Amino acid sequence: EILAAVEDMLRQRSGPLSGRHVLVTAGPTHEPIDPVRYLANRSSGRQGYAIAAALAALGARVTLVSGPTALPSPPGLATVRVETARQMMTAVEQALPADAAVCCAAVADWRPETVAENKTKKDGKGPQPLKLVENPDILASLSAAGDLRPALVVGFAAETETVAAHAKAKLARKGCDWIVANDVSPATGIMGGTENAVQIITANGIESWERMGKDAVARRLADRIAAALGGGSGAA
Amino acid sequence: EILAAVEDMLRQRSGPLSGRHVLVTAGPTHEPIDPVRYLANRSSGRQGYAIAAALAALGARVTLVSGPTALPSPPGLATVRVETARQMMTAVEQALPADAAVCCAAVADWRPETVAENKTKKDGKGPQPLKLVENPDILASLSAAGDLRPALVVGFAAETETVAAHAKAKLARKGCDWIVANDVSPATGIMGGTENAVQIITANGIESWERMGKDAVARRLADRIAAALGGGSGAA
């Protein structure tokens, strides 16, 4: 264990991301309806946790901001646990400055307009529609953060149809540098599963990676991020 | 391991619930909104799984119908995994006849009226209200199942206010025999936690149990169920 800790220290001093601070978001957000009910999504957090670990293995100082997951906090990096999109936004702001941000979390687009103080009961009149309001857009905010904008902002797009087209539109709309797009249709088994098949969308075009383990996607993406940031020291 | 299996067999032949079939429901239900989003609640399934195990330890043949949980299936009994309230209803019906039913699951009262085929996108016009419809009432159905009604039907009431009053009303409304009521206000740490503080509501009145581990609640409730069913063989 001591040996592993020493190895970690050496790697952090010598890896290609040594001296860099990278922010990673992962997992779903949960948006409360009342004290016991909430809106959720099927993100397991696996891809984001794997990316955080891969970046740390290249020497980066990593802040992982995670929604509710069943995963243990990865060793060798700082994990900040949150529940809602608004809490995630705050944690992300507090983690800046960063040299790069990888927004892998499946942040809820919407939350209930109001949170009932007590558990909502059936009243015989049938349920009222659940009014929703838009959550803050963490990826767009990071991409427009002015002096605090990370040099590289990577977003994820979880789509179920016309994946590449949606992802290209998202790249432009959000103002980020890369979009990692994946098809999370239930038939693919990707959301919640251990494998991923992604496309990388940049200003230069689209690159499709074969289906591989989420750990392998993470290592390849971390290498790509290290190459994009180049040498030298950053915000760590 | 062989020894444990033999012990299980002997216990199932000699315990006070030997020859009895008991149905237990546990965990939350998830109600899909689209391929990636769903409505959920904070039930961990711990109390229901503990009850199922305690009943099996008294010799019952146990069918555990469980919503999505992070818990392993308990050894020595049949676990049926489901996701939605409607799937749970079907699994419960298929598990009958039973001598007793313990409905511990936090079944969603409501589900989205329609499930979108593809992931719903932000369209710039703001989110539409989420229309909800009522789910089948598993506890009320079991309590009114005619020839297939278990001799003892136990419901749970997860309340956040005026717990005993709500639970008494639920007993009358659902037609079940006992209600086990607990206060799941976040401050209690009960929902998702390891302890429980319950009140048992029957036609004869209310009994309050001190706060104790969910395993201890389960053993005490299993003893009570064995006493209520008395001796002799049943539907197993």
Side-chain angles (χ1 to χ4, degrees):
Chain A
E1 207 167 307
I2 292 172
L3 186 64
V6 170
E7 279 172 358
D8 279 352
M9 265 176 51
L10 291 175
R11 197 172 47 207
Q12 292 217 334
R13 292 204 185 150
S14 64
L17 285 171
S18 148
R20 301 294 196 169
H21 178 215
V22 184
L23 169 64
V24 179
T25 71
T29 66
H30 288 177
E31 307 295 332
I33 299 169
D34 66 21
V36 299
R37 299 181 179 95
Y38 58 94
L39 290 172
N41 69 64
R42 298 185 195 284
S43 169
S44 65
R46 282 205 190 104
Q47 185 63 79
Y49 279 53
I51 290 167
L55 290 162
L58 294 184
R61 177 168 79 80
V62 175
T63 303
L64 171 62
V65 178
S66 172
T69 71
L71 304 174
S73 301
L77 51 88
T79 303
V80 181
R81 301 243 178 207
V82 299
E83 184 179 345
T84 67
R86 285 182 294 175
Q87 289 165 358
M88 186 171 278
M89 183 81 202
T90 302
V92 160
E93 285 166 352
Q94 288 172 347
L96 297 178
D99 297 290
V102 184
C103 296
C104 197
V107 181
D109 287 327
W110 307 298
R111 67 174 182 275
E113 185 178 57
T114 55
V115 180
E117 194 189 339
N118 282 303
K119 186 181 168 191
T120 311
K121 319 283 292 179
K122 286 196 259 194
D123 63 1
K125 284 182 294 184
Q128 295 300 305
L130 186 63
K131 284 188 195 154
L132 302 173
V133 293
E134 222 162 271
N135 268 326
D137 189 323
I138 297 174
L139 178 58
S141 296
L142 267 175
S143 300
D147 287 352
L148 281 171
R149 188 194 195 278
L152 180 69
V153 178
V154 182
F156 271 66
E159 306 290 349
T160 57
E161 50 174 346
T162 54
V163 175
H166 275 143
K168 269 163 80 172
K170 185 166 181 174
L171 183 77
R173 196 171 65 242
K174 306 276 184 176
C176 58
D177 303 297
W178 305 348
I179 287 279
V180 181
N182 52 14
D183 184 343
V184 296
S185 303
T188 65
I190 284 173
M191 204 155 200
T194 58
E195 291 192 330
N196 209 348
V198 305
Q199 295 177 291
I200 313 292
I201 291 95
T202 70
N204 298 325
I206 298 187
E207 191 180 323
S208 293
W209 294 1
E210 68 271 31
R211 187 169 173 131
M212 60 182 100
K214 288 184 176 176
D215 286 343
V217 169
R219 282 192 299 271
R220 202 157 152 181
L221 190 66
D223 286 340
R224 198 62 75 90
I225 289 168
L229 290 182
S233 69
Chain B
E1 207 168 306
I2 293 171
L3 186 64
V6 171
E7 279 172 358
D8 279 353
M9 264 176 54
L10 291 174
R11 197 171 48 209
Q12 291 217 335
R13 292 205 183 151
S14 65
L17 285 171
S18 149
R20 302 295 197 169
H21 177 216
V22 184
L23 168 64
V24 179
T25 71
T29 66
H30 288 178
E31 306 295 332
I33 298 168
D34 67 21
V36 298
R37 300 183 179 93
Y38 58 94
L39 291 171
N41 69 65
R42 298 184 194 285
S43 169
S44 65
R46 282 206 189 101
Q47 185 64 80
Y49 278 54
I51 290 167
L55 289 162
L58 294 184
R61 177 167 78 81
V62 175
T63 303
L64 171 62
V65 178
S66 174
T69 71
L71 304 174
S73 301
L77 51 87
T79 304
V80 182
R81 303 241 177 208
V82 298
E83 183 178 344
T84 68
R86 285 181 293 175
Q87 289 166 356
M88 186 172 279
M89 183 81 204
T90 301
V92 161
E93 286 166 352
Q94 287 172 346
L96 296 178
D99 298 290
V102 184
C103 295
C104 199
V107 181
D109 287 329
W110 307 298
R111 68 175 182 275
E113 187 178 57
T114 54
V115 180
E117 194 188 340
N118 282 304
K119 187 181 168 191
T120 312
K121 319 282 295 179
K122 289 196 258 194
D123 62 2
K125 287 182 294 186
Q128 294 301 305
L130 186 63
K131 284 190 195 154
L132 303 172
V133 294
E134 222 162 272
N135 267 326
D137 189 323
I138 296 174
L139 178 58
S141 296
L142 267 175
S143 300
D147 288 352
L148 280 171
R149 187 194 195 276
L152 180 69
V153 178
V154 182
F156 271 67
E159 307 289 350
T160 57
E161 51 173 346
T162 54
V163 176
H166 274 144
K168 271 164 78 172
K170 186 166 180 174
L171 184 75
R173 196 171 65 243
K174 304 278 183 173
C176 59
D177 302 298
W178 306 349
I179 287 279
V180 181
N182 51 14
D183 185 343
V184 295
S185 304
T188 65
I190 284 174
M191 205 154 199
T194 58
E195 293 193 329
N196 208 347
V198 305
Q199 296 179 291
I200 312 294
I201 291 96
T202 69
N204 298 324
I206 297 186
E207 191 180 324
S208 292
W209 293 0
E210 68 271 29
R211 188 171 172 128
M212 60 182 100
K214 287 183 177 175
D215 286 344
V217 168
R219 282 193 298 270
R220 203 158 151 181
L221 190 66
D223 285 340
R224 198 60 76 87
I225 289 168
L229 290 182
S233 67

